[in-house]
Amino acid sequence: MILHTVSYFFSKTSRREARVVMSNGFVRITISNPEGHITGLQYNGIDNLLEVNNQESRRGVKKKRDLLLNRNWVTSSSILPEFVDCSVRIHNGKTHVRCKITTGGHQFGEFASTRKRRSSRTNIGPGIKKGKKVGLSAYGTKRKSDFAKKPQILDLAKKDCTALGPGSEGNELGCFSSKLSSFSLCLFRMRFARHWRFALLLFFIGRFGWTSRSFPAKINVTFFKRIEGTSCEVIVETDDQVELSFSRTWDSSQEGKHVPLKIDKRFVLLRGSSGFYSYAIYEHLEGWPGFNLPETRIVFKLRKDKFHYMAMSDDRQRYMPLPDDRSSNRCKPLAFPEAVLLVNPLEPEFKGEVDDKYQYSCENKDIKVHGWVSTEPAVGFWQITPSNEFRTGGPTKQDLTSHVGPTNLAVRIATLAQLTTIFMCIHVKNLVFINLQMFVSAHYGGSDLVIKFDKGEQWKKVFGPVFMYINSNSKGDPRTLWKDAKNQMRQEVGNWPYSFPGSKDFHQAEKRGMISGRLLVRDRFISEKQIPTNGANIGVAPPGAPGSWQRENKGYQFWTKTDDEGHFMIKNILAGKYDIYAWVHGFIGDYKSSSTITVTPGCNIEVGDLLFEPPREGPTLWEIGIPDRSAAEFYIPDSDQMYTNKFLANDLNRFRQYGLWKRYATLYPDNDLVFKIGKDNYKKDWFFAHVNRIMFYRKDVDNMYEKTTWTVKFKLKNVNRNGTYTLRLALASAQFSDLQVRVNDPNTDLPLFSTGVIGGDNAIARHGIHGLYWLFNIDIMGKFLNSAGENAIYLTKINAGTQFPGGVMYDYIRLEGPHLWCSTGHADECSLNSKSDLPGEYKRFQIAYMKLKLPSKRCSGRQVRVTSEGKSQIYVVLKKGLMAATGVKMHFRKHHVVIDNGILRLTITNPGGYVTGVQYNNIDNLLESHNDESDRGYWDLVWSPPGSPGTTGTFERIVGTNCEVIVETEDQVELSFSRTWDSSLEGKHVPLKIDKRFVLLRGCSGFYSYAIYEHLEGWPGFNLAETRIAFKLRKDKFHYMAMSDDRHRYMPLPDDRSPDRGKPLAYPEAVLLVNPVEPEFKGEVDDKYQYSCETKDLKVHGWVSTDPNVGFWQITPSNEFRTGGPTKQELTSHVGPVNLAVIPIMFVSAHYGGNDLVIKFDEGEQWKKVFGPVFMYLNSTSMGEDPLTLWEDAKNQMLDEVGKWPYSFPASKDFLQAQERGTINGSLFVYDRFISDERLSAKGAYIGLAPPGVSGSWQRENKGYQFWNKTNEEGHFTIENILVGTYDVYAWVHGFIGDYKSPTTITITPGRLSNIHKHRYKILHNRWQNKTVLGSVELTCCNIDVGDLVYEPPRDGPTLWEIGIPDRSAAEFYIPDPDPMYTNKFLVDDPNRFRQYGLWERYATLYPSVDLIFTIGESDYKKDWFYAHVTRKKDDNTYEGTTWTIKFKLNDVKINGSYKLRLALASAQVSELQVRVNNQNKESPLFSTGLIGGDNAIARHGIHGLYWLFNIDIPGSYLSSAEENSIYLTQNNGGSPFRGIMYDYIRLEGPPPS
């Protein structure tokens, strides 16, 4: 054979359309220039293998003349907005009529005929002559006003529009395709020319569509777009090869019109090759808008008069129905538009068959070659895919192959406002045979396989090359051509990666790497040995979670199978980072390598032996099915005789028959499936799909379907009541289903477990025996099972309504025996010292030892290690018994990520980072599931623009936009849910970069959370008033609250706060319970501020459920990240105003501090802070035990967490661990010469480090970290775990006014305790100048001894009299009894009785007309000094200021001396305190504070807020020795009952001694 050289030339047709032609002597390819659409393919004497026009179909084998006369012109067309003012030629049944498209026309849904209705040839109509251009609006109407002046869609042949379901490719001749969905309508031009093309079907988010005036604004639309090049370039031009590029790029002017991708389509023709190659490079560049890409493909539409035989495998090949058989007069539409029943086909042999493109789907791993055969002449057209590396979804993903195209392309439009469906016909030119290659698709995977691009995300991928192989023979036997195509496929596979592609983005063999190794599996309940995996699927894919490969869609994947010994070799891997994934036939779950592998060009990596340990907790008690990720082993019913495809009868793919899901209602018309273990056979008695059952059928309405419940019945011997059994549910497919599991009670309201609504693979409707794989591990407490009788597990698929919204296919179900357990149920009584103590299935194990404390990386608790053959398994002792400390597991669902350590299961939205579920102790969710997912467990904040007054602002829950797995090992999973900020979000979101983290540790009965907040240079300023983490617990469970040993109680119910049960009081948080559900609470006030607490005491608080006994606690092991210092008050657990039990941890708030504690950021100010970690601890006891048992356990856990601080597990580099922190120690003394000539030890003083400032600034400090401790009896202190930075030392001492601050700053540097370098500071006391001087010191180590620090409190002279105790609180003053109408019994006779509601109103009762008068020497501040200096309510319901009087006598007043009045305030709320001496009516006071304070402590039942100290000089001339003196304290600002001050301490000092 002579091998001709490859040549090409450019030409123009009579239509003036440019073409480029390539030829190598075998094939001749004509391509439009520059669009890159193939318009002609000449081979073996056939002028064009592609469909040329709408000629009739004819079978080359039959050659029936009558078929040639049966013309079926398909003229269904679409008029789109961008066609306006264009001219087209439309066939009217005889000739083509040239028409111009105008804006006049029919409304949507109306149709006009293209045929001219006229009585004679001369009666054409006014102004219209033969051959003259006419507008479409002229046809079918006499009046232009009859039409809307909008571009509309017309069905020119009055054909019915056939709907196109999800995934259909329509009637394009050949293309890459995908889908677009939008909240606004987008229309794309559909060219009428005959060619194959690259095409895209894009899924845009709202901003990437545009609204057509022809349709409602709120509609979902799926769109199809062919890729047209704008530039043609010759890449390679030699005698052996021609490679052409047809490329296009994107710019902002095309936004909403074209997909934001740079696309380069390539066609390659080689010398001597009986076919041609094509590939494409897709690229998304930085700065380009985001979009979704559900589908892209290459398609060829072949001549329907020649290609009638299809082949895709040795057992799946046949003569196919003709395309015309799908026309409306020859077929009957079925449940979805892709499926039609052939009622009058051209070939009678197909009568009664169903034709459906999904019946010819196939798994990626098996789609190497498929195509069509013409029998006259004998020519085959095949698509060969030599590698699947560029496909999405891994080797088992199913996709379309060759099939008969549908009658027309339909786009489904679903309105949001109405649950109705409209179908829009776009365009059909031909009914053809389709040969396609899917690269990206959502078929059998749903939205999980839609590629979602973020704005600015950089991405590039090469799709292909794929080979279009053309062969022929003289025998005419299609199978001969099929065998030749298979041989060619093997040759192409052997040539991969090809050496000829001219793009540098396609990497050839020398730029690729290889990985080899061996995969073993070990299941200790099958064998203690490691078993080689025979035939396991193993591959590399981009890093992710176990099983993430089946949803991976942006990168490349490389797969192979292990041999009999488990060995594998994966070749030709592109350079990059990958995880190794695998799944093994016969075992559930997924393997993923523990570390990421980096492949470099030319590398050969030997990974050695990899061990897969599938999920397993106990021995198999029973099982249903085979773990093979398929439902093929279950009962596949015979198809309805009305809907049989003979091709699939008695075939291995018989599950692809149409309508098998309907057979369930036939087999189970009234009662659902019941499967009895030990009696029934899953091959005969377990239906392949758990689907809905039809409730009724009427022709005039849609069929209605109801939920179904399948029952598994079984018996157990010797049920371990204290043990935990595990139900493994492996699903082969899910379609919008919520599968619920109940045990022995089908009618319980709350299921034991619910998957939530999962899946969208639509595999049931599309005849796929599997879709995406799901694995659920469900704990069943032994107390729920019976030993005596039969047990039942109920599997309810609750989604109903229509046929396809809900359904699952099971892969495998297994019930495992319990973990090793403690026979007594209590850790302290547990004794497991011999094999006789173990349950039967564990007899081969023996107890090695019991540890009393877990390693620092895990929660503390008692631990048992069981050993076997040198291997060990850890079991953790919990209060409910002994549970296996299984490794932490993680899996991703559609919009969630789930992490599980065998003790609890945490469900978090992805990527939002909301905690939606906490499953523990057989409670499916501890959080309020009736709330929206964003309102259960979340981080939030309140922010406002810079300069905003007050403490309010915009409330914003922190929603992540990116989810990342930070750590994934058996000991720990740490997840990050982050979001950043850019200028497009200004005014919409807080300008912070936020990274929320959640951590679950092995053996830990709880989970951790922390967050990193960052404000970057250049970002705008703002105010941050509050940020916190909050959990809202189930109100039907959690009724008992505990926050301290003396503050715990059963709480009113959330419903008691509803308008019909509670009466609002002075502010919304306070409600008087007038008709509570529980009568014992009647007459009480419920107010969240009654449960506030100082942060130094706020280490643990939470709620208890008594059915079952479960505690949910928030533990804060350190206050370093909180604002306002140790005495700041914060909210704790309470009943929320939104009817929920709330358990918050406040990190930043203005509570009890006001605007002073609002963080104010300047523009461009750089700041970063780590909040947390905090620990959410869960515990449980046996039913009937005192809830305080759980409180005591929570306190012990809190002490343990405090002892482990700083934690070693957080993975963020911003959280510094112990070796990166420093320590300070020293001693604090007080010197007050009017008390003692000696310095006194500052016993019990608060001392700490905070950012540099002035004395007392720590209580208003809010941006940095603070570290506090208390001095011991001798005044010694040690402050540990101080973060690196610069600080001042602050302190305040009980019994003394004022604040201590070190005169010099201290710099903390990291270091090790073994390198301690102690420094002593020389202390100089200057008694008269009232200050302490420290020498200059260079701090070079992490453990700093600051020596003796001396605090000299404010003092000028001796004390003449004093009121109160200087303790920064008003607690020592008179606290009145509450109004009997507003009593909270919880606070009666309690140290916190000042937290009763309405105490400020008692002042007017005690002092109705005359204000408080306090006489020194007679009055007692404990009884006669009201705790708060408040306003008085007047008759007109306004509030006026009040004046308190202090009366006292002095002997020997020094007229020329200066007396000092010390006023220490414990709180101030929008108040002005004026001081007058001996003249109340003097216009100008001696002293005024000015308007101060905003801590609102009076209204919020806080006995203090922020501390204030005022030092007021009183000249001796103002005082009298002869008469009684009076100091008048006037709180001058009225207007509100809550405006006022609380005094801490008042002292009058005499003049200083000479």
Side-chain angles (χ1 to χ4, degrees), residues 54 56 70-74 159 304 324 327 329 431:
N54 281 343
E56 66 198 10
N70 183 15
R71 295 191 173 189
N72 183 22
W73 293 90
V74 180
K159 297 292 183 182
K304 63 181 180 181
D324 291 344
S327 60
N329 60 332
L431 297 173

Side-chain angles (χ1 to χ4, degrees), residues 889-890 897-901 904-906 908 973 975 1000:
K889 303 167 187 175
M890 175 182 65
V897 58
V898 179
I899 45 179
D900 189 333
N901 67 355
L904 66 94
R905 176 178 296 147
L906 193 64
I908 310 172
V973 166
L975 298 176
L1000 186 61

Side-chain angles (χ1 to χ4, degrees), residues 75 249 412 618 648 654 702 704 777 881 889 898 1249 1275 1305 1412 1452 1465:
T75 55
T249 189
R412 180 173 180 173
L648 296 170
R654 59 194 299 267
D702 291 338
M704 292 300 295
N777 307 301
K889 303 167 187 175
V898 179
L1249 271 69
T1305 59
L1412 182 149
D1452 192 20
L1465 307 184

Side-chain angles (χ1 to χ4, degrees), residues 945-967:
S948 300
T951 62
T952 59
T954 301
F955 173 81
E956 181 179 337
R957 289 194 177 98
I958 301 170
V959 186
T961 58
N962 180 58
C963 173
E964 183 180 358
V965 180
I966 303 298
V967 178

Side-chain angles (χ1 to χ4, degrees), residues 840-905:
E841 58 268 31
Y842 298 93
K843 290 295 185 182
R844 64 180 181 278
F845 294 110
Q846 59 181 344
I847 297 299
Y849 58 88
M850 178 175 285
K851 295 179 66 177
L852 298 182
K853 189 172 184 180
L854 291 168
S856 61
K857 209 174 181 183
R858 305 184 179 94
C859 297
S860 66
R862 191 161 292 180
Q863 195 182 72
V864 174
R865 186 181 298 273
V866 179
T867 63
S868 175
E869 299 182 2
K871 304 293 182 180
S872 62
Q873 170 69 37
I874 297 173
Y875 295 86
V876 177
V877 177
L878 303 175
K879 284 199 170 293
K880 64 181 181 181
L882 201 62
M883 177 174 286
T886 59
V888 186
K889 303 167 187 175
M890 175 182 65
H891 67 272
F892 284 83
R893 297 179 180 172
K894 185 175 182 180
H895 298 298
H896 299 82
V897 58
V898 179
I899 45 179
D900 189 333
N901 67 355
I903 301 172
L904 66 94
R905 176 178 296 147

Side-chain angles (χ1 to χ4, degrees), residues 225-243:
K225 180 69 176 176
R226 294 188 177 102
I227 302 170
E228 294 188 352
T230 58
S231 174
C232 174
E233 183 181 357
V234 180
I235 303 298
V236 178
E237 180 188 359
T238 68
D239 288 345
D240 294 325
Q241 175 179 347
V242 168
E243 180 168 340

